[in-house]
């Protein structure tokens, strides 16, 4: 199984913090955000290689991190993939970046995809077990507890078996507070459909759009993220995560 970390954004909302530093490498509780992501995925022992897809501006930053990172909590090798975009006007988009990794690295394996700015308070070992058992696409979901907050995300409605029956990207009037987050599993049999999605000219940005396109064609399942999930999109959420993760470390 391969892990793809989406890290090609420019995080303009976090300027000046991200003017010369990619968001996933900003420190949280004393270490880069992406290290926390890897730690939570470490219990999924099937992951044997990590691809971090980033842009021209920050590829060197990630190469340096990959060379010097602490491998004690996650030992699988890391390859940095440069999408050669230089700003928001020529970026490939999250799905475009995923497609670039799959093709340029000749990936023919089950894939887990995660955004490099998603932080989890709990390990994701059970997610890996579900992915292996279902051998189907699996979307991580989280209850944000507020309809207003849900308008910022893809709102998901699963049936009793956890299969998606409705997915609306950033709805003005959400049906619920359950959202899809940037945590995806695609078994290798589904990878040709990602080729088709791109070839057909679909929107290559917003990774949830791929799920929105897939679920009417095949069973796509949901998995509820335990504990607390942080989407680091502002200085406030970055500071909150830093405080909470620092406190959790001090209690160990």
């Amino acid at each position: 199984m391969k892990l793809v970390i989406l890290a090609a954004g420019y995080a303009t909302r976090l300027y000046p913090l991200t003017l010369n530093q990619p968001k996933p490498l900003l420190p949280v509780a004393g270490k880069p955000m992406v290290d926390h992501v890897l730690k939570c995925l470490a219990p999924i022992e099937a992951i044997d290689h990590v691809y971090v897809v980033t842009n021209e501006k920050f590829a060197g930053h990630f190469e340096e991190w990959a060379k010097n990172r602490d491998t004690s909590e996650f030992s699988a090798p890391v390859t940095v993939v440069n999408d050669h975009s230089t700003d928001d006007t020529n970026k490939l988009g999250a799905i475009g970046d995923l497609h670039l990794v799959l093709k340029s690295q000749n990936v023919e394996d089950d894939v887990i995809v995660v955004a490099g700015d998603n932080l989890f308070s709990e390990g994701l070992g059970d997610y890996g077990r579900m992915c292996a058992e279902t051998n189907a696409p699996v979307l991580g979901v989280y209850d944000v507890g507020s309809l207003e907050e849900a308008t910022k995300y893809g709102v998901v409605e699963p049936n009793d078996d956890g299969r998606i029956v409705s997915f609306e990207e950033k709805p003005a009037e959400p049906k619920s507070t359950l959202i899809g987050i940037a945590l995806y599993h695609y078994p290798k049999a589904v990878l040709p459909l990602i080729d088709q999605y791109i070839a057909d000219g679909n929107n290559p940005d917003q990774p949830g759009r791929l799920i929105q396109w897939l679920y009417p064609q095949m069973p796509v399942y949901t998995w509820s993220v335990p504990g607390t999930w942080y989407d680091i999109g502002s200085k406030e959420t970055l500071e909150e995560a830093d405080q909470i993760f620092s406190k959790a470390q001090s209690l160990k």
Side-chain angles (χ1 to χ4, degrees):
M1 178 179 281
K2 306 297 183 268
L3 172 64
V4 178
I5 297 179
L6 303 173
Y10 294 89
T12 54
R13 285 186 296 165
L14 276 169
Y15 278 6
L17 292 176
T18 49
L19 262 173
N20 299 300
Q21 180 84 317
K23 185 177 10 171
L25 293 184
L26 292 177
V28 171
K31 62 183 181 181
M33 196 183 300
V34 70
D35 283 357
H36 294 282
V37 177
L38 289 176
K39 181 180 179 181
C40 286
L41 287 154
I44 305 177
E45 295 178 358
I47 296 172
D48 58 15
H49 204 106
V50 181
Y51 298 97
V52 178
V53 57
T54 186
N55 52 53
E56 187 73 34
K57 182 177 181 180
F58 292 132
H61 294 72
F62 281 104
E63 293 279 8
E64 190 70 18
W65 161 78
K67 188 168 64 175
N68 298 308
R69 72 187 181 92
D70 179 4
T71 58
S72 62
E73 293 177 329
F74 193 101
S75 59
V78 173
T79 298
V80 177
V81 179
N82 183 352
D83 74 0
H84 297 292
S85 72
T86 53
D87 56 42
D88 281 335
T89 64
N90 59 13
K91 67 182 182 180
L92 302 188
I95 304 170
D97 278 324
L98 169 60
H99 185 248
L100 171 69
V101 171
L102 298 179
K103 305 316 287 182
S104 68
Q105 305 300 312
N106 299 311
V107 175
E108 296 179 355
D109 198 354
D110 299 346
V111 174
I112 287 177
V113 183
V114 66
D117 59 356
N118 276 211
L119 291 180
F120 307 89
S121 67
E122 308 290 332
L124 300 176
D126 285 343
Y127 179 70
R129 280 185 279 278
M130 181 177 178
C131 294
E133 289 166 7
T134 60
N135 195 31
V138 182
L139 170 66
V141 295
Y142 187 78
D143 190 338
V144 291
S146 155
L147 290 173
E148 182 181 355
E149 189 68 12
T151 63
K152 304 173 187 176
Y153 301 97
V155 174
V156 181
E157 183 185 351
N159 65 14
D160 291 342
D161 295 328
R163 180 175 170 176
I164 295 175
V165 295
S166 169
F167 185 106
E168 289 185 276
E169 188 69 50
K170 299 184 178 179
E173 297 183 5
K175 294 177 182 175
S176 77
T177 57
L178 189 68
I179 65 157
I181 69 167
L183 176 65
Y184 313 93
H185 168 253
Y186 298 112
K188 60 183 176 182
V190 172
L191 301 190
L193 286 173
I194 301 176
D195 292 344
Q196 182 188 334
Y197 178 93
I198 294 293
D200 288 351
N202 291 291
N203 188 333
D205 206 6
Q206 296 176 330
R209 291 188 183 277
L210 182 56
I211 295 291
Q212 195 173 25
W213 181 80
L214 273 178
Y215 87 84
Q217 305 180 52
M218 62 171 56
V220 177
Y221 293 93
T222 57
W223 181 78
S224 293
V225 171
T228 307
W229 163 77
Y230 298 92
D231 177 19
I232 308 298
S234 67
K235 292 175 186 174
E236 290 75 23
T237 52
L238 177 63
E239 289 168 2
E240 181 184 348
D242 182 57
Q243 290 173 359
I244 289 172
F245 277 71
S246 296
K247 184 177 179 181
Q249 281 191 5
S250 69
L251 293 174
K252 288 180 180 177

